[in-house]
Amino acid sequence: MQKEVVVSGIRPTGFLHLGNYFGAMRNYVRMQDDYNCYFFVANWHSLTTHPDTKELKNSVHRVIAENIACGLDPNKVALYVQSDVPEIAELYLYLNMLAYKGELEKTATFKDKVRLQPENVNAGLLTYPVLMAADVLIQRAVKVPVGKDQEQHLEMARNFAERFNYRYGDVLPLPYAFNYGSELIKIMSLDGIGKMSKSENQMATIFLADDDEIIRKKIMKAKTDQGPATPDSVKPDYIQNLFTLMEQVSTKDTVAKFEADFNASSTGNCIIRYGDLKKQLAEDMVQFIHPIREKAADIQSDTHLLHGLIKQGADKARDRASETLKLIREAIGLNY
Ligand code: TYM
């Protein structure tokens, strides 16, 4: 039986963090045996925010190295850089004719960027979801492992694919956001404000490249409160976030102990000690990140190895992308 095709990408706009890991990369690693996987570094997407392109090169290498350090096997999957696959750019052009200004302006991520960088509202930002759809549709993927923040982009990719199929014939399967659980994941920032991200509060974001002391410091500073007022309270989202992180890196017994302490606590009888919870979480997080950091640094320092892997990934990605492009050109009628 043919394996289903999976695509996902990460922007090289900074250091990768726990949101990237638990929202996306962990699933990449779990999917690599059962699916035909295409994972890439979305360097074209990052140009929308006008980064320093010298830094960008380092970041591209680091994202590749961190993916491998997290367990991705470049011999099992296609691990590549977006700009090495020009077929994506051609499909982006066709899809742009099927994307409307009104819907692009309403996209949540576009509205965020207009707020964050009002001096640079370029057309690439507006059509960001179209390029993302091209990334996915060029491999005719059906599953896209992403965090919750990318859900709307996937909905848009399905709309563009449906419009293409309606106008030119049935070429593109419809892609869906994917997570092994029923819900897509959102890791919050440790200050309790919004999602963990590469660009906002760096002290509230844990990066895969952080050293042990920084990890401890950031977790000990995470937002907490006085504790629950009644037994079995609903957890505020910043407390839930600490439990979510603990579920990822600590043993089941550890999580169960702190859950029980939380549920038995009330004003005047606060059994849960957030200081203890954070200390335990910090130690478990250090154990978790330490080997990833060391391995990623080793891989990143070997540029010869990286260049070979990037070339190998591009070849694999272009094989299927050029097949799709041929079907697309035929469907539109561009085969003269
Ligand atoms: P990017 O680079 O912002 O993030 C990469 C992946 O990490 C997930 N993620 C999170 N998940 C949970 N909690 C968080 N706090 C968190 N922060 C980030 C993201 O959901 C994503 O899965 N537009 C994409 C890159 C992209 C792409 C694609 C993805 C370009 N083309 C095609 C899939 C398919 C982005 O900016 O991700």
Side-chain angles (χ1 to χ4, degrees):
M1 213 179 73
Q2 278 215 329
K3 290 179 176 175
E4 283 185 314
V5 177
V6 168
V7 164
S8 194
I10 298 182
R11 267 174 315 144
T13 40
F15 288 81
L16 298 190
H17 52 74
L18 291 181
N20 300 130
Y21 182 81
F22 293 117
M25 289 153 81
R26 185 180 47 173
N27 284 341
Y28 299 179
V29 176
R30 285 178 71 180
M31 294 177 101
Q32 64 183 336
D33 288 311
D34 300 333
Y35 296 90
N36 184 9
C37 293
Y38 294 82
F39 298 126
F40 68 96
V41 188
N43 59 335
W44 277 337
H45 275 105
S46 58
L47 295 179
T48 54
T49 50
H50 297 178
D52 170 355
T53 43
K54 277 198 215 86
E55 270 305 303
L56 191 61
K57 191 165 190 170
N58 257 336
S59 294
V60 168
H61 285 174
R62 193 173 47 242
V63 174
I64 296 272
E66 285 181 331
N67 269 287
I68 299 171
C70 288
L72 215 59
D73 179 348
N75 294 317
K76 285 187 186 158
V77 305
L79 181 59
Y80 57 101
V81 181
Q82 187 181 34
S83 60
D84 284 343
V85 185
E87 289 80 4
I88 297 170
E90 187 172 330
L91 179 54
Y92 169 56
L93 182 146
Y94 302 136
L95 294 177
N96 267 320
M97 321 297 177
L98 303 172
Y100 294 98
K101 180 170 162 274
E103 64 185 335
L104 296 172
E105 280 171 344
K106 271 192 275 176
T107 313
T109 48
F110 177 70
K111 289 200 277 191
D112 280 351
K113 281 289 186 295
V114 171
R115 185 174 51 80
L116 289 168
Q117 51 177 68
E119 73 302 338
N120 179 22
V121 183
N122 61 65
L125 267 186
L126 184 68
T127 57
Y128 185 110
V130 188
L131 180 55
M132 196 165 145
D135 295 327
V136 172
L137 300 175
I138 199 70
Q139 304 296 359
R140 282 164 287 144
V142 290
K143 288 197 167 81
V144 185
V146 283
K148 180 98 186 131
D149 58 326
Q150 299 297 316
E151 200 172 24
Q152 188 183 24
H153 291 161
L154 262 296
E155 251 172 65
M156 296 174 81
R158 285 196 293 281
N159 288 338
F160 303 147
E162 276 184 322
R163 285 177 210 159
F164 183 97
N165 291 342
Y166 176 73
R167 188 162 289 276
Y168 302 119
D170 228 350
V171 176
L172 302 171
L174 303 186
Y176 288 85
F178 177 83
N179 181 38
Y180 277 99
S182 53
E183 292 279 312
L184 297 180
I185 290 213
K186 177 180 171 186
I187 302 291
M188 283 186 71
S189 179
L190 295 178
D191 57 12
I193 306 170
K195 67 171 182 176
M196 193 172 276
S197 88
K198 297 179 194 118
S199 49
E200 279 167 50
N201 185 355
Q202 309 265 307
M203 273 313 283
T205 300
I206 296 185
F207 298 101
L208 298 180
D210 279 345
D211 68 35
D212 297 353
E213 268 326 293
I214 287 281
I215 296 170
R216 291 193 181 98
K217 205 162 155 189
K218 287 179 177 177
I219 292 184
M220 293 316 289
K221 283 178 85 124
K223 177 172 177 178
T224 51
D225 53 27
Q226 312 283 320
T230 54
D232 297 313
S233 296
V234 175
K235 298 188 186 81
D237 50 9
Y238 47 90
I239 297 293
Q240 178 56 52
N241 195 44
L242 294 178
F243 274 93
T244 302
L245 290 176
M246 195 167 233
E247 280 160 22
Q248 318 297 331
V249 297
S250 304
T251 64
K252 282 204 166 68
D253 287 352
T254 304
V255 179
K257 176 209 166 331
F258 285 105
E259 282 283 355
D261 286 356
F262 180 90
N263 288 328
S265 295
S266 59
T267 310
N269 181 30
C270 194
I271 296 167
I272 183 136
R273 304 252 165 257
Y274 287 134
D276 292 350
L277 180 147
K278 291 200 274 190
K279 249 190 221 143
Q280 180 70 48
L281 177 60
E283 285 321 308
D284 294 339
M285 193 60 79
V286 164
Q287 294 301 319
F288 173 77
I289 289 183
H290 189 106
I292 296 179
R293 181 180 69 230
E294 307 262 289
K295 188 162 180 207
D298 280 353
I299 300 169
Q300 208 187 334
S301 63
D302 191 343
T303 35
H304 182 70
L305 172 76
L306 279 174
H307 284 147
L309 291 175
I310 288 173
K311 165 86 176 61
Q312 171 185 322
D315 290 346
K316 279 197 218 168
R318 290 196 73 185
D319 270 356
R320 190 170 165 89
S322 54
E323 250 177 53
T324 308
L325 205 51
K326 189 159 173 281
L327 296 173
I328 283 178
R329 282 170 158 250
E330 275 167 14
I332 304 180
L334 299 171
N335 50 334
Y336 300 108

